[in-house]
Amino acid sequence: MSWSSQEVRLAQRPLGYPDSETWEIADVEVGEPGPGEFVVNLELISLDPAMRGWLNDVRSYAPPVGIGEVMRAYGAGTIVASQHDHYAVGDVVSGTFGVREYAVSDGHDVTKLDLDVAPMATWLGALGMPGMTAYFGLEEVGRVQPGQTVLVSAAAGAVGSIVAQLAKAKGCRVIGVAGGPEKVAWLQEVGLDEVIDRKEGDLIRQVRRAAPDGVDFYFDNVGGEMLDAALANLAFGARIALCGAISAYNEEKLPEGPRRYMALLVFRATMQGFLVTDYKDRYDEAVAEISQLIAQDRIVATETILDGGVTTFPDALLGLFSGVNTGKLLLKV
Amino acid sequence: MSWSSQEVRLAQRPLGYPDSETWEIADVEVGEPGPGEFVVNLELISLDPAMRGWLNDVRSYAPPVGIGEVMRAYGAGTIVASQHDHYAVGDVVSGTFGVREYAVSDGHDVTKLDLDVAPMATWLGALGMPGMTAYFGLEEVGRVQPGQTVLVSAAAGAVGSIVAQLAKAKGCRVIGVAGGPEKVAWLQEVGLDEVIDRKEGDLIRQVRRAAPDGVDFYFDNVGGEMLDAALANLAFGARIALCGAISAYNEEKLPEGPRRYMALLVFRATMQGFLVTDYKDRYDEAVAEISQLIAQDRIVATETILDGGVTTFPDALLGLFSGVNTGKLLLKV
């Protein structure tokens, strides 16, 4: 038996935003799995800011996607054929399967998903990489205490929404930053103490108003002007977790750095980069805590699921950078 | 009795480099000290990069010097009159006495200097604030281990020269950055493993050549391009201590921030600001260690002493920013 599968390949490295030249769609036949392999029928593909970095031919924490290769993507689906001892037909799994309809895998870095705990989409969001990122950024870099003031950028996004709610659950005063009235309303409903609409501008003053005594922990997903606004409003001994810089990912040149970085000296503060995969051994701990908080209605896990199939991946990715999503952005295959 | 004393006052806040409009010289009569006070005849005045910050009317870790006030300065001299229980005529002391010939003090934050341990100039350099800054930056932010690679900017300066030599004493591989062949030669003589002349440009490549496996700890005195060159060459888990940004202190506008700050994420690195005065309670520990290393000839404590009296302070300060000094820069009163 074989499965015909559409896939999205990297045709050309983009300068700035990816466009139609960046991608090519191909049709392939996926045959029966070899020994130690299985075939998964993908149902959901994850759209992640990090994807933009994988398109650049530069040294980073993950190697670039090669020209002509299937675009790297995290996703989830159901196994339709297996010659693997640990994975059986019908198992629901997640892994880095790429932007395609059917993938062959040897099981490396593949996770079985228990749909009794949460639906597949949540396993790619609050209980997947974004949730893990939120959890370890808060635990290991933030080390926040009850009563501290936490500022989260892209707070309606996949990672930010979990950071903000985990910090609330820890008894922090949480300020979220998001773009536009709908996301702001969603964050207010979720229970944040203050919500800033970045589209209203003057971020320094908006943060000052929301955090008159300064920010103890800033979880940075965006970089740029927002990072400077946080630096301008630090509390003594503040900590900044660098998780991403989505504002910069599509710039053709390396944008300016944070002008106000010397605030780190004035406030004896720390800015630290982290990467979720360093905490791989402890994902179970994070999944247990987040799923419990979801069950207790103390965390709202939400996803925005686009319904166009793999060939719409190029537009879906642009949607991520324009901020179409509340919560995790997924593409239905 | 009274003493006639020249002093340098802040006449006007400078934009950019201080100039003749910035300062005014005044002659005052210093009378007998009141109860709980003493009069010190200043012999050496310390020139510090932080002075430039004190001229700006902005929120920082020290309040600005007021218009018309005597310029704040650290210095040392001999007590010539006293009504203070703990300070006697003939005692040699250091403190924040200002840019003047005679100062009245109530003893607050004043230190008695033991000239059997080290000469007065060393008490303002390797055993003074610069040495303390070096020690605690390395101990508390760097936490370096033997064999690690340490990069120090302004390595021939008051703080950098002590950081570099302390790191050598701890068994690190030490790379110093300085401006011009004389300073480079001095640092080579002092025993650094590699010395970079920043005036030769291409700092990123120069650091890469000197630290092919990356920098474990970067002690930043200068900011600007040098900080970016360090960020471009971090080792995994690297640490950066922000001590100063002398390259920026005379800029009229806030200069660009470190463009490559996202290297902190790629290398899971930390950038941390610190201020020496936070470790006031532990200065004795640092003085003991540094003076022992000086006695063992493992640290060379050096000073550049300008010999023009207090009225030449304005030029002496500019000399600090153009880098006339090797080691601590002092002005002889």
Side-chain angles (χ1 to χ4, degrees):
Chain A
M1 184 160 177
S2 77
W3 298 265
S4 65
S5 173
Q6 284 193 303
E7 60 186 36
V8 177
R9 296 174 182 170
L10 178 62
Q12 183 180 297
R13 299 200 184 283
L15 259 181
Y17 284 93
D19 60 19
S20 56
E21 313 273 276
T22 308
W23 310 106
E24 63 188 8
I25 313 285
D27 288 288
V28 296
E29 284 294 308
V30 174
E32 286 288 337
E37 292 181 341
F38 59 81
V39 174
V40 56
N41 177 15
L42 285 159
E43 293 163 50
L44 288 173
I45 287 173
S46 171
L47 294 149
D48 295 282
M51 285 174 155
R52 182 62 189 82
W54 302 338
L55 304 180
N56 297 333
D57 196 13
V58 293
R59 176 186 180 199
S60 185
Y61 47 85
V65 175
I67 303 292
E69 286 179 11
V70 173
M71 178 57 191
R72 185 184 300 144
Y74 209 70
T78 305
I79 293 177
V80 292
S82 180
Q83 285 211 56
H84 194 293
D85 290 346
H86 301 294
Y87 296 94
V89 171
D91 282 355
V92 177
V93 291
S94 68
T96 310
F97 297 125
V99 181
R100 52 183 147 201
E101 295 176 312
Y102 290 86
V104 179
S105 169
D106 63 4
H108 179 73
D109 272 350
V110 167
T111 307
K112 282 194 213 182
L113 307 182
D114 182 348
L115 301 188
D116 291 337
V117 172
M120 192 185 284
T122 304
W123 277 111
L124 294 177
L127 298 181
M129 294 290 252
M132 303 298 101
T133 303
Y135 182 88
F136 292 103
L138 200 64
E139 287 288 319
E140 296 299 313
V141 184
R143 299 176 219 154
V144 293
Q145 302 299 320
Q148 288 193 324
T149 297
V150 174
L151 177 68
V152 186
S153 57
V159 175
S161 62
I162 307 302
V163 174
Q165 295 179 85
L166 279 172
K168 277 302 292 177
K170 282 183 178 292
C172 296
R173 188 165 169 275
V174 180
I175 304 163
V177 185
E182 282 175 38
K183 291 180 186 176
V184 168
W186 184 77
L187 287 170
Q188 284 164 336
E189 201 175 304
V190 154
L192 268 56
D193 297 284
E194 299 272 352
V195 186
I196 290 170
D197 185 347
R198 68 173 165 80
K199 293 185 174 170
E200 286 178 7
D202 203 349
L203 292 172
I204 291 181
R205 196 162 314 171
Q206 286 205 72
V207 175
R208 186 148 303 154
R209 202 178 300 130
D213 299 327
V215 170
D216 295 299
F217 176 53
Y218 171 51
F219 191 102
D220 189 28
N221 289 304
V222 302
E225 211 187 327
M226 186 59 224
L227 176 52
D228 266 324
L231 285 164
N233 287 286
L234 296 181
F236 194 91
R239 303 181 64 81
I240 296 175
L242 292 179
C243 176
I246 197 170
S247 72
Y249 290 167
N250 291 290
E251 297 290 328
E252 297 191 19
K253 284 183 178 176
L254 202 55
E256 279 192 23
R259 279 179 190 254
R260 291 171 180 270
Y261 79 100
M262 285 296 284
L264 297 175
L265 196 160
V266 177
F267 297 102
R268 280 72 133 186
T270 300
M271 183 152 83
Q272 185 175 347
F274 76 103
L275 204 65
V276 62
T277 46
D278 294 342
Y279 304 98
K280 214 179 250 185
D281 297 347
R282 292 172 55 198
Y283 284 175
D284 286 351
E285 163 195 335
V287 167
E289 178 150 343
I290 297 171
S291 58
Q292 190 181 23
L293 288 166
I294 292 173
Q296 296 167 346
D297 287 330
R298 296 170 71 195
I299 283 188
V300 178
T302 193
E303 301 92 22
T304 299
I305 303 179
L306 303 176
D307 194 8
V310 294
T311 59
T312 63
F313 167 80
D315 282 340
L317 184 61
L318 292 177
L320 183 69
F321 293 111
S322 65
V324 296
N325 55 307
T326 295
K328 177 66 196 164
L329 185 62
L330 297 168
L331 178 61
K332 199 164 179 177
V333 178
Chain B
M1 187 163 175
S2 77
W3 298 265
S4 65
S5 172
Q6 284 192 303
E7 59 186 37
V8 177
R9 296 175 182 168
L10 178 62
Q12 185 180 294
R13 300 201 182 282
L15 260 181
Y17 284 94
D19 60 20
S20 56
E21 313 274 278
T22 308
W23 310 106
E24 63 188 8
I25 314 286
D27 289 289
V28 295
E29 285 295 307
V30 174
E32 287 289 337
E37 293 182 341
F38 59 81
V39 174
V40 57
N41 177 17
L42 286 159
E43 293 163 49
L44 289 172
I45 286 172
S46 171
L47 294 149
D48 295 282
M51 285 175 155
R52 183 61 190 83
W54 301 339
L55 304 182
N56 297 334
D57 196 13
V58 294
R59 178 187 179 196
S60 184
Y61 47 86
V65 175
I67 302 293
E69 287 180 10
V70 174
M71 178 59 191
R72 185 184 299 143
Y74 209 68
T78 304
I79 293 178
V80 292
S82 180
Q83 285 211 56
H84 194 293
D85 290 346
H86 301 295
Y87 297 94
V89 171
D91 281 355
V92 177
V93 291
S94 68
T96 310
F97 297 126
V99 182
R100 53 183 147 200
E101 295 176 312
Y102 290 86
V104 178
S105 170
D106 62 3
H108 179 72
D109 272 350
V110 167
T111 308
K112 280 194 215 183
L113 308 182
D114 182 347
L115 300 188
D116 291 336
V117 171
M120 192 186 285
T122 305
W123 277 110
L124 293 177
L127 298 181
M129 294 291 251
M132 304 298 99
T133 303
Y135 183 88
F136 292 103
L138 199 65
E139 287 288 319
E140 296 299 315
V141 183
R143 300 176 219 156
V144 293
Q145 302 298 320
Q148 288 192 323
T149 297
V150 173
L151 177 68
V152 185
S153 57
V159 174
S161 62
I162 306 301
V163 174
Q165 296 179 85
L166 279 172
K168 276 302 294 177
K170 281 182 179 293
C172 296
R173 187 164 170 277
V174 180
I175 304 163
V177 185
E182 282 175 37
K183 291 180 185 177
V184 167
W186 183 78
L187 287 169
Q188 283 164 337
E189 201 176 306
V190 154
L192 267 56
D193 297 283
E194 299 272 353
V195 186
I196 289 170
D197 186 346
R198 69 174 165 79
K199 293 184 175 170
E200 286 178 7
D202 204 349
L203 291 172
I204 290 180
R205 196 164 312 172
Q206 285 206 74
V207 175
R208 186 148 303 155
R209 200 178 302 133
D213 299 327
V215 170
D216 296 297
F217 175 53
Y218 171 51
F219 191 102
D220 188 29
N221 290 304
V222 302
E225 211 188 328
M226 185 61 225
L227 175 53
D228 266 325
L231 285 163
N233 287 285
L234 296 181
F236 193 91
R239 302 180 64 79
I240 296 176
L242 292 180
C243 176
I246 197 169
S247 73
Y249 289 169
N250 290 290
E251 298 290 328
E252 296 191 20
K253 283 183 178 175
L254 203 56
E256 279 192 22
R259 276 177 194 256
R260 292 172 179 269
Y261 80 100
M262 284 298 283
L264 297 176
L265 196 159
V266 177
F267 297 102
R268 280 73 133 185
T270 300
M271 183 152 82
Q272 185 174 347
F274 76 104
L275 203 66
V276 61
T277 47
D278 293 343
Y279 304 97
K280 214 178 250 185
D281 297 348
R282 292 172 55 197
Y283 285 175
D284 287 353
E285 163 195 335
V287 167
E289 179 150 341
I290 298 171
S291 57
Q292 189 181 25
L293 288 166
I294 292 173
Q296 296 167 346
D297 288 329
R298 296 171 71 196
I299 283 187
V300 178
T302 193
E303 301 91 23
T304 299
I305 303 180
L306 304 176
D307 193 7
V310 293
T311 59
T312 63
F313 167 80
D315 283 340
L317 184 62
L318 293 176
L320 183 70
F321 293 112
S322 65
V324 297
N325 56 305
T326 297
K328 177 64 195 164
L329 185 63
L330 297 169
L331 178 61
K332 201 164 178 177
V333 179

